[in-house]
PDB file of all heavy atoms in Angstrom:
ATOM      1  N   THR A  43     -15.593   0.717  -4.620  1.00  0.00           N
ATOM      2  CA  THR A  43     -17.038   0.600  -4.757  1.00  0.00           C
ATOM      3  C   THR A  43     -17.477   1.032  -6.151  1.00  0.00           C
ATOM      4  O   THR A  43     -17.399   2.211  -6.499  1.00  0.00           O
ATOM      5  CB  THR A  43     -17.737   1.493  -3.712  1.00  0.00           C
ATOM      6  OG1 THR A  43     -17.197   1.207  -2.432  1.00  0.00           O
ATOM      7  CG2 THR A  43     -19.231   1.260  -3.719  1.00  0.00           C
ATOM      8  N   LYS A  44     -17.944   0.060  -6.942  1.00  0.00           N
ATOM      9  CA  LYS A  44     -18.426   0.358  -8.288  1.00  0.00           C
ATOM     10  C   LYS A  44     -19.762   1.098  -8.186  1.00  0.00           C
ATOM     11  O   LYS A  44     -20.671   0.658  -7.491  1.00  0.00           O
ATOM     12  CB  LYS A  44     -18.567  -0.946  -9.064  1.00  0.00           C
ATOM     13  CG  LYS A  44     -18.832  -0.804 -10.503  1.00  0.00           C
ATOM     14  CD  LYS A  44     -18.752  -2.137 -11.251  1.00  0.00           C
ATOM     15  CE  LYS A  44     -19.220  -3.276 -10.400  1.00  0.00           C
ATOM     16  NZ  LYS A  44     -19.223  -4.557 -11.017  1.00  0.00           N
ATOM     17  N   VAL A  45     -19.882   2.236  -8.876  1.00  0.00           N
ATOM     18  CA  VAL A  45     -21.098   3.035  -8.853  1.00  0.00           C
ATOM     19  C   VAL A  45     -22.001   2.678 -10.034  1.00  0.00           C
ATOM     20  O   VAL A  45     -23.221   2.588  -9.893  1.00  0.00           O
ATOM     21  CB  VAL A  45     -20.757   4.548  -8.873  1.00  0.00           C
ATOM     22  CG1 VAL A  45     -21.991   5.405  -9.008  1.00  0.00           C
ATOM     23  CG2 VAL A  45     -19.970   4.921  -7.626  1.00  0.00           C
ATOM     24  N   LEU A  46     -21.404   2.480 -11.191  1.00  0.00           N
ATOM     25  CA  LEU A  46     -22.133   2.141 -12.415  1.00  0.00           C
ATOM     26  C   LEU A  46     -21.423   0.978 -13.105  1.00  0.00           C
ATOM     27  O   LEU A  46     -20.219   0.787 -12.894  1.00  0.00           O
ATOM     28  CB  LEU A  46     -22.146   3.337 -13.381  1.00  0.00           C
ATOM     29  CG  LEU A  46     -22.903   4.586 -12.934  1.00  0.00           C
ATOM     30  CD1 LEU A  46     -22.597   5.751 -13.860  1.00  0.00           C
ATOM     31  CD2 LEU A  46     -24.396   4.306 -12.905  1.00  0.00           C
ATOM     32  N   PRO A  47     -22.125   0.234 -13.949  1.00  0.00           N
ATOM     33  CA  PRO A  47     -21.437  -0.802 -14.728  1.00  0.00           C
ATOM     34  C   PRO A  47     -20.410  -0.158 -15.665  1.00  0.00           C
ATOM     35  O   PRO A  47     -20.545   1.014 -16.037  1.00  0.00           O
ATOM     36  CB  PRO A  47     -22.560  -1.458 -15.538  1.00  0.00           C
ATOM     37  CG  PRO A  47     -23.831  -0.999 -14.940  1.00  0.00           C
ATOM     38  CD  PRO A  47     -23.549   0.287 -14.224  1.00  0.00           C
ATOM     39  N   PRO A  48     -19.398  -0.914 -16.066  1.00  0.00           N
ATOM     40  CA  PRO A  48     -18.396  -0.360 -16.991  1.00  0.00           C
ATOM     41  C   PRO A  48     -19.025   0.042 -18.321  1.00  0.00           C
ATOM     42  O   PRO A  48     -19.977  -0.591 -18.791  1.00  0.00           O
ATOM     43  CB  PRO A  48     -17.416  -1.513 -17.206  1.00  0.00           C
ATOM     44  CG  PRO A  48     -17.660  -2.460 -16.093  1.00  0.00           C
ATOM     45  CD  PRO A  48     -19.086  -2.281 -15.678  1.00  0.00           C
ATOM     46  N   PHE A  49     -18.480   1.089 -18.914  1.00  0.00           N
ATOM     47  CA  PHE A  49     -18.823   1.488 -20.280  1.00  0.00           C
ATOM     48  C   PHE A  49     -17.622   1.158 -21.142  1.00  0.00           C
ATOM     49  O   PHE A  49     -16.503   1.574 -20.836  1.00  0.00           O
ATOM     50  CB  PHE A  49     -19.138   2.982 -20.365  1.00  0.00           C
ATOM     51  CG  PHE A  49     -19.378   3.432 -21.775  1.00  0.00           C
ATOM     52  CD1 PHE A  49     -20.605   3.243 -22.385  1.00  0.00           C
ATOM     53  CD2 PHE A  49     -18.360   4.013 -22.508  1.00  0.00           C
ATOM     54  CE1 PHE A  49     -20.824   3.627 -23.694  1.00  0.00           C
ATOM     55  CE2 PHE A  49     -18.565   4.404 -23.822  1.00  0.00           C
ATOM     56  CZ  PHE A  49     -19.806   4.206 -24.415  1.00  0.00           C
ATOM     57  N   VAL A  50     -17.840   0.382 -22.211  1.00  0.00           N
ATOM     58  CA  VAL A  50     -16.751  -0.042 -23.088  1.00  0.00           C
ATOM     59  C   VAL A  50     -17.148   0.238 -24.530  1.00  0.00           C
ATOM     60  O   VAL A  50     -18.276  -0.065 -24.938  1.00  0.00           O
ATOM     61  CB  VAL A  50     -16.435  -1.539 -22.887  1.00  0.00           C
ATOM     62  CG1 VAL A  50     -15.357  -2.010 -23.844  1.00  0.00           C
ATOM     63  CG2 VAL A  50     -16.025  -1.805 -21.446  1.00  0.00           C
ATOM     64  N   TYR A  51     -16.222   0.794 -25.295  1.00  0.00           N
ATOM     65  CA  TYR A  51     -16.483   1.116 -26.698  1.00  0.00           C
ATOM     66  C   TYR A  51     -15.335   0.611 -27.562  1.00  0.00           C
ATOM     67  O   TYR A  51     -14.160   0.871 -27.256  1.00  0.00           O
ATOM     68  CB  TYR A  51     -16.640   2.627 -26.876  1.00  0.00           C
ATOM     69  CG  TYR A  51     -16.979   3.020 -28.284  1.00  0.00           C
ATOM     70  CD1 TYR A  51     -18.274   2.899 -28.764  1.00  0.00           C
ATOM     71  CD2 TYR A  51     -15.995   3.488 -29.139  1.00  0.00           C
ATOM     72  CE1 TYR A  51     -18.590   3.235 -30.066  1.00  0.00           C
ATOM     73  CE2 TYR A  51     -16.302   3.836 -30.453  1.00  0.00           C
ATOM     74  CZ  TYR A  51     -17.599   3.702 -30.915  1.00  0.00           C
ATOM     75  OH  TYR A  51     -17.899   4.029 -32.207  1.00  0.00           O
ATOM     76  N   SER A  52     -15.661  -0.110 -28.650  1.00  0.00           N
ATOM     77  CA  SER A  52     -14.662  -0.621 -29.592  1.00  0.00           C
ATOM     78  C   SER A  52     -14.564   0.293 -30.796  1.00  0.00           C
ATOM     79  O   SER A  52     -15.590   0.745 -31.320  1.00  0.00           O
ATOM     80  CB  SER A  52     -15.046  -2.017 -30.087  1.00  0.00           C
ATOM     81  OG  SER A  52     -15.035  -2.931 -29.039  1.00  0.00           O
ATOM     82  N   TYR A  53     -13.340   0.521 -31.236  1.00  0.00           N
ATOM     83  CA  TYR A  53     -13.088   1.313 -32.435  1.00  0.00           C
ATOM     84  C   TYR A  53     -12.669   0.378 -33.551  1.00  0.00           C
ATOM     85  O   TYR A  53     -11.826  -0.492 -33.358  1.00  0.00           O
ATOM     86  CB  TYR A  53     -11.957   2.322 -32.191  1.00  0.00           C
ATOM     87  CG  TYR A  53     -12.295   3.331 -31.124  1.00  0.00           C
ATOM     88  CD1 TYR A  53     -11.980   3.101 -29.790  1.00  0.00           C
ATOM     89  CD2 TYR A  53     -12.948   4.502 -31.458  1.00  0.00           C
ATOM     90  CE1 TYR A  53     -12.298   4.020 -28.815  1.00  0.00           C
ATOM     91  CE2 TYR A  53     -13.271   5.437 -30.483  1.00  0.00           C
ATOM     92  CZ  TYR A  53     -12.942   5.190 -29.165  1.00  0.00           C
ATOM     93  OH  TYR A  53     -13.263   6.097 -28.193  1.00  0.00           O
ATOM     94  N   GLY A  54     -13.262   0.570 -34.734  1.00  0.00           N
ATOM     95  CA  GLY A  54     -12.920  -0.270 -35.874  1.00  0.00           C
ATOM     96  C   GLY A  54     -13.588  -1.630 -35.779  1.00  0.00           C
ATOM     97  O   GLY A  54     -14.091  -2.021 -34.730  1.00  0.00           O
ATOM     98  N   PRO A  55     -13.579  -2.388 -36.887  1.00  0.00           N
ATOM     99  CA  PRO A  55     -14.226  -3.705 -36.894  1.00  0.00           C
ATOM    100  C   PRO A  55     -13.556  -4.650 -35.900  1.00  0.00           C
ATOM    101  O   PRO A  55     -12.341  -4.819 -35.910  1.00  0.00           O
ATOM    102  CB  PRO A  55     -14.063  -4.181 -38.336  1.00  0.00           C
ATOM    103  CG  PRO A  55     -12.980  -3.341 -38.922  1.00  0.00           C
ATOM    104  CD  PRO A  55     -12.943  -2.061 -38.149  1.00  0.00           C
ATOM    105  N   GLY A  56     -14.357  -5.237 -35.009  1.00  0.00           N
ATOM    106  CA  GLY A  56     -13.835  -6.187 -34.034  1.00  0.00           C
ATOM    107  C   GLY A  56     -12.826  -5.590 -33.070  1.00  0.00           C
ATOM    108  O   GLY A  56     -11.997  -6.301 -32.517  1.00  0.00           O
ATOM    109  N   GLY A  57     -12.879  -4.274 -32.878  1.00  0.00           N
ATOM    110  CA  GLY A  57     -11.937  -3.626 -31.966  1.00  0.00           C
ATOM    111  C   GLY A  57     -10.532  -3.512 -32.524  1.00  0.00           C
ATOM    112  O   GLY A  57      -9.583  -3.256 -31.791  1.00  0.00           O
ATOM    113  N   GLU A  58     -10.401  -3.702 -33.832  1.00  0.00           N
ATOM    114  CA  GLU A  58      -9.080  -3.700 -34.468  1.00  0.00           C
ATOM    115  C   GLU A  58      -8.297  -2.416 -34.190  1.00  0.00           C
ATOM    116  O   GLU A  58      -7.084  -2.442 -34.043  1.00  0.00           O
ATOM    117  CB  GLU A  58      -9.224  -3.916 -35.980  1.00  0.00           C
ATOM    118  CG  GLU A  58      -7.918  -4.065 -36.714  1.00  0.00           C
ATOM    119  CD  GLU A  58      -7.069  -5.254 -36.245  1.00  0.00           C
ATOM    120  OE1 GLU A  58      -7.626  -6.282 -35.835  1.00  0.00           O
ATOM    121  OE2 GLU A  58      -5.840  -5.133 -36.292  1.00  0.00           O
ATOM    122  N   ASP A  59      -9.003  -1.289 -34.124  1.00  0.00           N
ATOM    123  CA  ASP A  59      -8.317  -0.016 -33.879  1.00  0.00           C
ATOM    124  C   ASP A  59      -8.192   0.303 -32.394  1.00  0.00           C
ATOM    125  O   ASP A  59      -7.459   1.223 -32.022  1.00  0.00           O
ATOM    126  CB  ASP A  59      -9.043   1.123 -34.599  1.00  0.00           C
ATOM    127  CG  ASP A  59      -8.993   0.958 -36.115  1.00  0.00           C
ATOM    128  OD1 ASP A  59      -7.991   0.420 -36.612  1.00  0.00           O
ATOM    129  OD2 ASP A  59      -9.967   1.345 -36.780  1.00  0.00           O
TER     130      ASP A  59
END
Side-chain angles (χ1 to χ4, degrees):
T43 309
K44 190 171 33 178
V45 174
L46 295 169
F49 175 81
V50 177
Y51 183 79
S52 296
Y53 297 91
E58 186 60 32
D59 295 328

